[in-house]
Amino acid sequence: MNTFGSIGCLVTRAAFNFGKVDIVTINGPSIDLNCMVCMFQYDSTYGKFKGRVKAKNVTLIISVGAKKVIISAPSADAPMFVMDVVHEKYDNSLKIVSNASCTANCLAPLTKVILDNFGIMEGLMTTVHVITATQQTVDGPPGKLWCDGQGVAQNIIPASTGAAKTVGKDSPELNGKLTSMAFHVPTLNVSIVDLACPLEKDANTVTSRKW
C-alpha cells in the first residue's frame, strides 16, 4: 500500500474484511508507526475497525518494487477499468492499471445500463460530492480558482470532474457525448451522481423499472 492516508487506510480495511487480498507492505515513511495504528483503528467517518491492530517487531523493509500497481484515481496513460463495465477486458500481463475515480465508478455502470438498453444521444452528469482533503477548512488564499479559497463548512463549491471523459474511454460510443460538473458540499460521507440524457429509444415506466 503506497501512502497511508484516508484512502490507504480504508482500502487496507477493505482488504482485511474481504479476506482474499494480502497487504504485505505499507509505505508511509512520514507517519509514525503508532500513529498509523491509531489511524487504522479509528476513523472519524467510518468508525472503529472491528479487529485488533498493534505495532510489533518494527523493522526496515526494502522492497525491489511491486509486481502489480492499481491506481485509485484516473490515469493519463495507464489502462482504466471499471467493474461491471469493462473489467472483462483486463489482461493479467498488465503491470499498472487504474480503477478510475469514485465518480466514474458511479457514472460508468449507470450509463452502461442505459446505453445497452435504450441508447444515449448525449448527457449531462452532475455530482454532488463530499468535501476533500485539498479544500480549505476556513477561508484562505485560493489556488487557481477564487472559489477554492472558501471554507468547506459554509459553502457549496463548484469543481471540475473528469468522470465524463473517463466514461468515454471505457465506452467509446459515449466519447464526446457526455458533459460533467461537480459541486462539493459540507458533508463528510456519501456523494450522489445525477445523469440527464435524451434516449435513442423510447422508454416508458414499465420498461425502465426492469433495469
Side-chain angles (χ1 to χ4, degrees), residues 13-22:
R13 277 191 178 195
F16 276 102
N17 292 332
F18 185 55
K20 296 182 179 180
V21 177
D22 294 327

Side-chain angles (χ1 to χ4, degrees), residues 80-91 99 112 170:
M80 284 190 284
F81 298 93
V82 175
M83 290 299 296
D84 294 325
V85 178
V86 290
H87 67 278
E88 72 280 356
K89 296 181 180 179
Y90 172 76
D91 186 333
N99 190 215
K112 179 175 174 55
D170 285 341

Side-chain angles (χ1 to χ4, degrees), residues 12-210:
T12 303
R13 277 191 178 195
F16 276 102
N17 292 332
F18 185 55
K20 296 182 179 180
V21 177
D22 294 327
I23 303 294
V24 295
T25 303
I26 295 175
N27 179 28
S30 61
I31 309 174
D32 178 80
L33 181 61
N34 290 313
C35 180
M36 293 174 68
V37 171
C38 182
M39 289 172 58
F40 185 81
Q41 184 81 58
Y42 305 99
D43 187 277
S44 299
T45 302
Y46 297 95
K48 184 179 180 181
F49 176 67
K50 297 177 181 179
R52 298 178 60 190
V53 185
K54 62 181 180 179
K56 183 179 180 181
N57 298 332
V58 182
T59 58
L60 176 65
I61 300 176
I62 301 177
S63 174
V64 295
K67 295 181 180 180
K68 301 278 186 179
V69 175
I70 302 176
I71 305 171
S72 60
S75 173
D77 46 13
M80 284 190 284
F81 298 93
V82 175
M83 290 299 296
D84 294 325
V85 178
V86 290
H87 67 278
E88 72 280 356
K89 296 181 180 179
Y90 172 76
D91 186 333
N92 195 46
S93 64
L94 295 172
K95 304 300 182 183
I96 302 176
V97 298
S98 165
N99 190 215
S101 67
C102 56
T103 303
N105 274 269
C106 292
L107 178 63
L110 176 61
T111 55
K112 179 175 174 55
V113 171
I114 298 174
L115 181 66
D116 290 349
N117 292 279
F118 303 105
I120 295 176
M121 297 174 63
E122 60 183 357
L124 171 63
M125 186 281 297
T126 305
T127 175
V128 180
H129 202 285
V130 298
I131 59 177
T132 63
T134 58
Q135 293 183 270
Q136 300 271 19
T137 53
V138 296
D139 288 4
K144 294 181 179 180
L145 301 176
W146 286 10
C147 60
D148 290 342
Q150 302 299 305
V152 295
Q154 306 101 325
N155 296 280
I156 295 176
I157 302 175
S160 62
T161 173
K165 186 176 180 179
T166 299
V167 171
K169 289 183 177 181
D170 285 341
S171 301
E173 308 97 315
L174 295 176
N175 191 24
K177 290 186 176 182
L178 299 181
T179 304
S180 58
M181 58 183 177
F183 296 93
H184 290 268
V185 299
T187 185
L188 296 175
N189 193 16
V190 183
S191 298
I192 186 172
V193 163
D194 174 83
L195 175 64
C197 54
L199 306 178
E200 294 177 348
K201 299 178 182 177
D202 290 337
N204 55 40
T205 304
V206 176
T207 57
S208 60
R209 280 179 178 173
K210 292 173 59 179

